[in-house]
Amino acid sequence: MQPQLDELIKIKESVERGPSDRATEIQHQKGKLTARERIGLLMDKGSFSEIEPLRRHRASGFGLEDKRPYTDGVVTGWGTVHGRTVFVYAHDFRIFGGALGEAHAQKIHKLMDLAESSGAPLVSLNDGAGARIQEGVTALAGYGGIFRRNTRASGVIPQISVMLGPCAGGAAYSPALTDFVFMVRDTSQMFITGPDVVKAVTGEEITQNGLGGADVHAGTSGVAHFAYDGEEACLEDVRYLLSLLPSNSRELPPTDRSDDPADRPNDALLDIVPADPGQSYDVHAVIEEIVDDGEFFEVHPQWATNLVCALSRLDGQVVGIVANNPGAMAGVLDIEASEKGARFVQWCDAFNIPLVTLVDVPGFLPGVDQEHHGIIRRGAKLLYAYCNATVPRISLVLRKAYGGAYIVMDSRSIGADLSYAWPANEIAVMGAEGAANVIFRREIAAADDPDALRRTKIDAYKSQLMHPYYAAERGLVDDVIDPRETRRVLIRSLAMLAAKHADLPSRKHGNPPQ
């Protein structure tokens, strides 16, 4: 068999090299790595096993019959990340511009089916020019198969899309169906219709990055969860994210022993959070003080910054943290923050990640624009996600919690397992000033000194309905705790809830607000 073996070795070596040295050079000149270089950065060294490297298309016409490269422009296989199995496919832009044809799609379909049946995460490294036009509707059908599998695997295995080049037209919907989208500045773009079409239809002139670049999607549209300056940093964070995730919905997230004492006091919190509810602060500092070693991985850090969503660990256990951020828009809930929080809560619940909610919210953002763009149904998304979540849920009121926003931010009334508050908490229908102006409007208007009477009524409302123990006296807060004990209390509470089991009503699926 030596002649046949020599032929196989020669073919395999050509597959590894790719179409040509010139094609690789052009890829590098664009500031992009090749598909195999990217897989090498993602996977543990030497762990990648490729499937169907010898696949070739069988299409004809438009010169395709004379160009039948191995892999058909996509590298597929599995390996390990931090020792755990992960499936990956990577478009090879050097071959047909990474465009998707029948054989290309079938390779991806097979890999996605293997990932789902094996119960392991799926990572797509996207760098393709969309559907292979020469193959016509067959290419479009290939995308349909990907979308169907994305949807079927949703909430079953983690799905991560890494955008490392262009992604246009229908191809953009697969990343949108996955759990997380990573993008690299300058080299990756996503849009349904490109700048030329936009100009022809609307007359607007815009660049590819201006239309669908990394910062646009990370900070404006919310399509991308993370944006990076280079591929290496991007793929390193993909590895870090995978270290926090379970392999599938039937498993718990991996634990990691921490040297950070579970009973470490949080004295710094007394200085980080001002007692005055009108003063601003950055809730990131609160999260950093509470979690293991001050490390957390924020999701959507550039979008809807008035709400922080992050993955971290408490005593080595992975938790999802949702926190109002008074340092941005006073921490109000608006359309974007509601949608951001809803998706994160829903995702954590799907993958057995307990939720810790840090509450400091003055309410929903008022305004004609918010109302006309559906703050009611958008805010209801966050409400629905919390009400539907069966993982352990702990809420902590840091300062104020007013109106409907208090209810939505995982209050006891919508199913939080435990609810705590710090001693400066104000839980009420609205702030004392607004409440006094409504309740005593006529009395204040008729007074000889309206300002003095208004101050008196505000103080009375605060003392009767907004004192720190009002909610605790009525069982709506389980305990008012010393801020310095926050880490210890959360860790002990999560340990107690570790075996929580809750069943939802028997149904095909719910119908969440859209």
Side-chain angles (χ1 to χ4, degrees), residues 125-261:
L125 305 180
N126 298 270
D127 185 7
R132 195 174 299 170
I133 300 173
Q134 299 95 320
E135 294 195 30
V137 71
T138 307
L140 296 180
Y143 275 123
I146 293 173
F147 302 158
R148 179 165 59 88
R149 287 168 173 81
N150 283 139
T151 303
R152 191 174 65 193
S154 179
V156 179
I157 57 172
Q159 299 181 80
I160 298 174
S161 296
V162 188
M163 315 311 297
L164 301 167
C167 185
Y173 284 115
S174 178
L177 289 169
T178 60
D179 299 308
F180 297 100
V181 177
F182 289 72
M183 293 189 74
V184 175
R185 294 181 178 94
D186 298 327
T187 58
S188 65
Q189 302 89 26
M190 296 173 66
F191 36 70
I192 299 300
T193 54
D196 292 341
V197 177
V198 169
K199 182 179 179 181
V201 175
T202 70
E204 300 171 289
E205 293 192 20
I206 193 167
T207 65
Q208 287 195 350
N209 280 321
L211 182 64
D215 286 322
V216 168
H217 286 311
T220 303
S221 72
V223 171
H225 299 78
F226 312 97
Y228 297 87
D229 291 327
E231 294 189 16
E232 291 84 356
C234 176
L235 292 170
E236 182 59 35
D237 266 6
V238 174
R239 285 177 55 85
Y240 180 61
L241 175 59
L242 286 166
S243 75
L244 296 169
L245 309 184
S247 292
N248 56 66
S249 60
R250 300 183 301 275
E251 297 182 3
L252 295 174
T255 59
D256 187 17
R257 185 179 299 276
S258 173
D259 294 327
D260 194 348

Side-chain angles (χ1 to χ4, degrees), residues 39 45 60 100-101 112 115 135 169 175 193 209 254 258 324 367 375 474 477 499 505:
I39 291 173
K45 187 175 182 179
S60 61
L100 181 138
M112 296 178 78
E135 294 195 30
T193 54
N209 280 321
S258 173
N324 305 113
I375 185 63
R474 285 152 182 80
V477 165

Side-chain angles (χ1 to χ4, degrees), residues 257-413:
R257 185 179 299 276
S258 173
D259 294 327
D260 194 348
D263 58 354
R264 170 173 56 82
N266 304 126
D267 295 346
L269 293 178
L270 299 180
D271 297 320
I272 293 172
V273 181
D276 181 356
Q279 281 191 263
S280 175
Y281 66 92
D282 189 345
V283 79
H284 292 89
V286 176
I287 298 171
E288 184 177 352
E289 172 61 25
I290 294 171
V291 300
D292 291 357
D293 304 308
E295 294 184 1
F296 59 92
F297 191 61
E298 186 174 358
V299 177
H300 274 312
Q302 295 175 245
W303 186 60
T305 54
N306 42 322
L307 189 77
V308 174
C309 298
L311 291 169
S312 189
R313 295 182 186 273
L314 283 169
D315 199 29
Q317 306 297 318
V318 176
V319 295
I321 297 174
V322 181
N324 305 113
N325 185 16
M329 297 173 60
V332 297
L333 285 178
D334 63 351
I335 286 173
E336 292 185 345
S338 297
E339 294 198 328
K340 171 181 174 177
R343 184 80 193 281
F344 183 74
V345 168
Q346 186 171 271
W347 178 84
C348 286
D349 185 53
F351 290 103
N352 310 309
I353 297 175
L355 289 161
V356 174
T357 304
L358 306 179
V359 186
D360 192 346
V361 61
F364 281 93
L365 180 66
V368 174
D369 185 65
Q370 288 286 305
E371 296 292 346
H372 285 187
H373 284 86
I375 185 63
I376 295 173
R377 63 182 174 86
R378 311 287 189 91
K381 290 184 180 184
L382 181 55
L383 179 61
Y384 187 99
Y386 269 125
C387 289
N388 206 46
T390 60
V391 292
R393 291 157 49 191
I394 301 173
S395 66
L396 170 63
V397 179
L398 307 184
R399 290 193 309 185
K400 57 189 178 296
Y402 296 155
Y406 154 67
I407 301 173
V408 169
M409 289 297 293
D410 206 19
S411 62
R412 277 295 302 276
S413 61

